[in-house]
Amino acid sequence: MTALDPSGCLKLIIFDCDGVLVDSEVASCQATAQFARSLGLFISDDEAHKRFMGMALPDVVRDLEAELGYSLPENTALILRQNLVQIMQKRAEPVSGSPEMLKEIRRLRVPVRVGSNSSMQEMEAKFTRTNMTQFFPENRIHSANDMGEPKPSPAVYLYAAKQEGQAPENCLVIEDSDPGAEAAWKAGMSCVLLREANKPLPSFWPQPGFVRISHLSELAPIVERVLQSQIS
């Protein structure tokens, strides 16, 4: 894939949801921090964002249980998820530049899918609120949570590729979190990491086929250059 992966041919883009398409991380981490404080844990909103960003809710619950020293009720993750769905129905907003970027990617005629740690129920609320269902029909949205294989497992990305009939080396993942980028790496896919220049990179960085951008406006030109190199 030229600048991304010389062994592949770009046939599919797989987007993460939270932090890439929908700006939901801050609100969801604030809700998690509030829940943790209700249990007697002193976790600030800022700490929750650093600690839980990109983490699946069952993993969040296990993390809280480890700090508490006891098990929480079995339905804790479900309660948290229902709370998040309600929050997202009111507060989810597009990530800066995401609607414009998606229009450009559609113009380039590259197939797209979503692979997220969020549940299908959460993503329905987020995409409805942000008017992104026009880009992602339900059969092109995949939930690592509902599969029982949250990132950094590569399962959701490999499943998305299989549904498209594409080999991993022909897929480009768009991520913002360390667990998500690790999932792309484990899947054998190229990855564009959306992250500000002053923020640290994942511990396994650099990797062949991995690049960083600081704004989504940078993505379509990269994709277009890759596509042009494939026909030159």
Side-chain angles (χ1 to χ4, degrees), residues 124 127-128 130-137:
E124 180 182 2
F127 288 153
T128 299
T130 58
N131 195 31
M132 289 189 186
T133 52
Q134 59 178 307
F135 300 106
F136 303 106

Side-chain angles (χ1 to χ4, degrees), residues 76-201:
T76 298
L78 178 60
I79 292 172
L80 278 172
R81 180 165 294 109
Q82 291 171 339
N83 185 36
L84 286 177
V85 168
Q86 294 176 353
I87 292 172
M88 290 305 113
Q89 288 171 338
K90 299 176 181 178
R91 295 181 58 184
E93 298 293 340
V95 168
S96 175
S98 61
E100 296 82 2
M101 175 274 295
L102 289 171
K103 290 176 184 176
E104 283 297 298
I105 296 299
R106 183 164 59 185
R107 178 183 63 81
L108 295 173
R109 299 182 182 277
V110 182
V112 295
R113 289 180 180 266
V114 173
S116 172
N117 268 351
S118 292
S119 67
M120 291 297 292
Q121 187 182 17
E122 290 172 79
M123 285 190 281
E124 180 182 2
K126 294 166 185 174
F127 288 153
T128 299
R129 162 78 179 172
T130 58
N131 195 31
M132 289 189 186
T133 52
Q134 59 178 307
F135 300 106
F136 303 106
E138 186 175 351
N139 65 349
R140 304 191 76 79
I141 300 172
H142 313 290
S143 167
N145 174 80
D146 293 3
M147 292 173 61
E149 293 277 0
K151 306 170 194 176
S153 166
V156 70
Y157 286 145
L158 292 172
Y159 179 79
K162 184 177 180 180
Q163 292 301 108
E164 193 69 29
Q166 292 297 333
E169 59 267 26
N170 294 336
C171 300
L172 172 62
V173 169
I174 316 301
E175 265 290 353
D176 71 310
S177 72
D178 288 13
E182 183 177 348
W185 174 36
K186 290 179 177 177
M189 299 178 180
S190 294
C191 179
V192 170
L193 183 70
L194 177 63
R195 185 165 297 183
E196 296 175 4
N198 62 340
K199 298 291 179 64
L201 292 166

